Amino acid sequence: MSNANNTLASTKNKTMMLTTMGLLTAIVVVLQAIAIRFGVFNITLVLVPIVVGAALYGWKAGAWLGFVFGVVVLFTDAGAFLAINVPGTIITVLLKGTLAGAAAGLIYSLLSRKNDILGVIGAGIVSPIVNTGIFLLGCLVFFYDTIAQWAAGAGFENVGVYMVTAFVGLNFVVELAINLVLSSAIVLILKVAKKHIKK
């Protein structure tokens, strides 16, 4: 009887995971496909479901959701870069999303051993940093000459300052704060709900 109960519980857990991951994947697609504007800011909330998935189901789930994010970016938001360097754009966009999700899962796994809240906060911080960092690295590796021209045209002598100002700026700080608060709240609510369901 115990084996039957274990098998039933395992099947329920797998079904719950597949259903949740399906919903999170759909949310990633929708959030990236629509532009959300807050005044002058163009903020993406897509990292929230990525962090949630990574915290609930580990780094592989985070990597999958990040990969989906990257694929949607290629189709909706990468036109200017695709026109310059197709392979460089594909590598940068897919890598930044996938690594941002994987990093969120790994950091959550590491920090949540001490405290769930610490784990979620760490994942919520590392995900946008990795996402933005890989993007900037990709810009330097694959698009430096073009970005140097853009910087000169905008009156910047330093390409790095131009990249941080034009590509990151205050948007990153606002996005980090919003994603951190939302992902932390959602993960903690889901974890409490999961404990009550098990009871």
Side-chain angles (χ1 to χ4, degrees):
M1 191 67 174
S2 178
N3 284 342
N5 287 341
N6 287 342
T7 303
L8 183 61
S10 176
T11 302
K12 282 183 179 178
N13 286 341
K14 285 179 183 174
T15 303
M16 175 72 88
M17 185 188 83
L18 288 172
T19 303
T20 305
M21 285 300 294
L23 286 170
L24 289 172
T25 300
I27 291 168
V28 165
V29 171
V30 170
L31 286 178
Q32 184 54 39
I34 61 173
I36 298 175
R37 294 197 69 80
F38 296 96
V40 297
F41 300 110
N42 188 15
I43 307 297
T44 180
L45 301 177
V46 74
L47 293 177
V48 172
I50 293 171
V51 170
V52 169
L56 292 177
Y57 299 113
W59 71 269
K60 290 180 184 177
W64 163 253
L65 293 168
F67 176 77
V68 171
F69 162 45
V71 170
V72 179
V73 168
L74 281 175
F75 287 103
T76 62
D77 206 23
F81 288 97
L82 282 169
I84 300 164
N85 184 333
V86 173
T89 303
I90 293 170
I91 290 168
T92 301
V93 169
L94 294 181
L95 203 57
K96 78 183 186 71
T98 303
L99 291 180
L106 292 171
I107 291 296
Y108 177 80
S109 176
L110 183 68
L111 297 180
S112 65
R113 292 174 191 165
K114 295 190 179 215
N115 183 294
D116 260 351
I117 295 172
L118 183 63
V120 177
I121 290 171
I125 291 171
V126 78
S127 185
I129 289 174
V130 169
N131 183 56
T132 302
I134 297 294
F135 171 70
L136 292 175
L137 185 62
C139 286
L140 288 173
V141 172
F142 298 112
F143 307 102
Y144 183 83
D145 292 339
T146 302
I147 292 173
Q149 291 174 3
W150 293 350
F156 284 84
E157 292 181 23
N158 187 306
V159 175
V161 171
Y162 171 77
M163 285 171 56
V164 170
T165 305
F167 299 155
V168 181
L170 191 56
N171 268 24
F172 172 77
V173 176
V174 173
E175 198 171 280
L176 173 66
I178 290 173
N179 285 314
L180 185 58
V181 170
L182 288 178
S183 59
S184 298
I186 292 168
V187 169
L188 293 175
I189 289 167
L190 289 174
K191 291 237 176 221
V192 169
K194 195 174 179 182
K195 284 178 186 174
H196 285 296
I197 289 169
K198 283 184 177 177
K199 290 178 183 177

